[in-house]
Amino acid sequence: MQLRYGLDDRPPAGELALYGLQWFAVTIPVIIIIGKVAAGLHAHSPADEISYIQKLSFVMAAALLLELTAGHRLPLIIGPSTVLLIGIIASRGFGAASIYSSILLGGVLLFVLSITGLFAHLKKFFTTRVVAVVLLLIAFTMTPTIMALVVSPQSGSGPLANIIFSLAMIFSMFFLYSVLKDIWRSTLIIWAMAAGSIIYFSLFPAGPLFKFHEFPLAGGFLRDFTLPLSLDAGVVISFVFCYLALAVNDLGSIQSLNELLKPEGEKQRITRGMLVTGLANVAAGFLGVIGPVNFSLSPGVIISTRCASRAALFPTAALLLLLSFSPALLSLLGNVPPAVIGCVLVYILCAQVVAGLSVISEPGKPPSFETGLVIGLPLILGTVIAFLPAEVLATFPTILRPVLGNGFVVGVLAALIMEHLVFRGK
């Protein structure tokens, strides 16, 4: 691959700003979308939601700066973890303190596994087929959340109109992906959010979710910390599984760029990168927000732009940092209808499915029947658990509810049993 700018090259100021804006355009929609979904589970007012997204933007900016300077030092974008969002949704009946205390402890666990080298011993359990299940489960167990967004009563129309609008928008996004090239394809999410919101409010007039003039242009967010710690055994166990999956995701993202760019000190980059991810998750838990992970979509952006310079991500981190101190600007970006958020999540999670399928695909060799069973059963079990009604979950023992009521955790457990017990050695 012919790159215009290598890992340690510094593009001219004008190009650097454009590349930085592109990386910003890739990451900010995910921060807004996942931030709104997570904040909506605990926030009691629009001000609480904006404060949550402020803290989330700050954590992502700080984590990105630390990764670029002391961590993996690669052009990898960072964002809120979908795996942890699944854990938060499954544990929402236990209160914010228990959830974010578990995220803080999960960050400590990831830091310890990285610095001691213990993760190397856990990696052997996450075979190719188990990793494929992990990637696919993230998409499948998010479907109840997408369904709730698409038919959300907050929007200005009925469920049927929302479904028709959502189908039209989803197919339009995939059509545009098929015809667009380079930077337009890389930034399709942000254009889809903007155009989708304008069209939606034109079809179904409704007041903005966040009124721009009600929020200050500049404002802090240092409140609602996760102190004192509130530990619930079931919630902690649930998030331990989530963090093992997050570690596999983080490792895969860093390794994908190692394979693409072949930089010096590949092993050290993995160790330092995961250490920073662990520390960033500790900070996220302390601030009471969802933790970050290195995103696996970065190689696609690099290939499309032919720019692998890590310097291009410093403007992105600076923009995220500035945005975290502006409630008014975040309120403007946060006025995306729930149905549009659901459509963009479908687009993002379809890419997650592609990642899962690519793990088990081999040229000219279809997956074996046993591989289909090892992957199929966990996906079905995880999806069934994800759709269980709240009244059914309420009958589970309190300590087991965050584990047995979490479709992602049940799916990963099923994959481990199928891989290492049922089909051991095959």
Side-chain angles (χ1 to χ4, degrees):
M1 182 178 61
Q2 296 295 319
L3 292 171
R4 293 185 64 193
Y5 300 105
L7 181 61
D8 296 315
D9 293 339
R10 184 179 178 85
E15 292 187 46
L16 189 68
L18 287 174
Y19 286 128
L21 280 172
Q22 175 180 275
W23 283 109
F24 178 77
V26 170
T27 189
I28 194 60
V30 185
I31 292 174
I32 296 294
I33 290 167
I34 295 182
K36 285 188 68 175
V37 174
L41 300 173
H42 308 293
H44 302 293
S45 68
D48 289 341
E49 286 194 39
I50 294 300
S51 176
Y52 187 100
I53 300 174
Q54 278 186 270
K55 290 190 285 185
L56 188 60
S57 299
F58 176 80
V59 169
M60 299 306 144
L64 181 56
L65 283 172
L66 199 56
E67 288 283 24
L68 291 172
T69 54
H72 50 60
R73 294 167 60 87
L74 293 169
L76 265 175
I77 200 65
I78 203 164
S81 169
T82 314
V83 176
L84 297 185
L85 178 60
I86 294 169
I88 292 172
I89 293 169
S91 308
R92 59 186 178 273
F94 289 82
S98 295
I99 290 172
Y100 293 106
S101 293
S102 297
I103 287 179
L104 192 155
L105 289 180
V108 173
L109 173 66
L110 186 57
F111 178 81
V112 171
L113 288 176
S114 302
I115 202 169
T116 60
L118 290 175
F119 186 68
H121 300 287
L122 292 174
K123 278 197 302 183
K124 63 184 179 183
F125 293 104
F126 287 83
T127 61
T128 299
R129 296 194 291 202
V130 174
V131 170
V133 169
V134 167
L135 294 171
L136 292 169
L137 275 171
I138 293 171
F140 280 79
T141 53
M142 281 291 290
T143 47
T145 301
I146 293 171
M147 181 182 69
L149 288 168
V150 168
V151 299
S152 172
Q154 298 178 29
S155 50
S157 65
L160 179 59
N162 271 1
I163 291 171
I164 294 172
F165 169 86
S166 299
L167 288 172
M169 179 172 173
I170 289 167
F171 281 108
S172 297
M173 288 182 71
F174 282 105
F175 172 75
L176 289 172
Y177 178 86
S178 70
V179 298
L180 295 177
K181 303 294 182 184
D182 299 332
I183 190 170
W184 296 105
R185 176 182 284 186
S186 302
T187 56
L188 176 59
I189 291 175
I190 198 165
W191 307 124
M193 285 177 63
S197 299
I198 293 170
I199 295 170
Y200 187 90
F201 285 129
S202 299
L203 293 173
F204 314 113
L209 302 173
F210 301 111
K211 295 178 174 61
F212 179 84
H213 64 275
E214 292 182 355
F215 295 92
L217 185 60
F221 50 79
L222 296 177
R223 59 188 178 89
D224 299 328
F225 299 136
T226 308
L227 286 175
L229 293 179
S230 176
L231 302 180
D232 184 281
V235 178
V236 171
I237 293 170
S238 175
F239 274 96
V240 165
F241 278 92
C242 290
Y243 269 96
L244 289 176
L246 183 147
V248 172
N249 191 351
D250 208 57
L251 174 69
S253 298
I254 299 172
Q255 183 59 24
S256 66
L257 271 197
N258 277 341
E259 292 292 331
L260 183 68
L261 302 178
K262 303 295 183 184
E264 295 182 358
E266 293 182 15
K267 290 184 178 179
Q268 291 82 359
R269 290 179 189 273
I270 290 174
T271 301
R272 293 196 308 265
M274 295 184 70
L275 283 175
V276 170
T277 302
L279 289 175
N281 275 270
V282 172
F286 177 72
L287 289 173
V289 295
I290 192 169
V293 69
N294 286 293
F295 277 5
S296 57
L297 52 77
S298 300
V301 178
I302 292 170
I303 292 169
S304 65
T305 61
R306 295 188 294 126
C307 175
S309 170
R310 63 187 174 94
L313 276 85
F314 282 99
T316 304
L319 286 171
L320 287 175
L321 193 60
L322 289 172
L323 196 62
S324 69
F325 289 96
S326 180
L329 290 178
L330 281 174
S331 71
L332 189 63
L333 292 173
N335 277 323
V336 181
V340 174
I341 293 175
C343 294
V344 175
L345 272 178
V346 169
Y347 179 83
I348 293 170
L349 294 177
C350 283
Q352 190 77 25
V353 172
V354 173
L357 295 176
S358 66
V359 168
I360 57 168
S361 63
E362 296 181 39
K365 184 180 178 183
S368 66
F369 184 70
E370 287 82 0
T371 295
L373 296 178
V374 170
I375 293 173
L377 178 62
L379 288 182
I380 292 172
L381 285 178
T383 305
V384 168
I385 293 295
F387 276 98
L388 283 179
E391 54 269 23
V392 174
L393 294 177
T395 64
F396 292 7
T398 304
I399 192 171
L400 296 178
R401 200 179 306 157
V403 178
L404 297 182
N406 186 331
F408 177 80
V409 173
V410 170
V412 172
L413 277 173
L416 292 170
I417 292 169
M418 293 286 284
E419 178 77 338
H420 299 291
L421 293 178
V422 178
F423 291 108
R424 184 178 182 181
K426 294 187 179 181

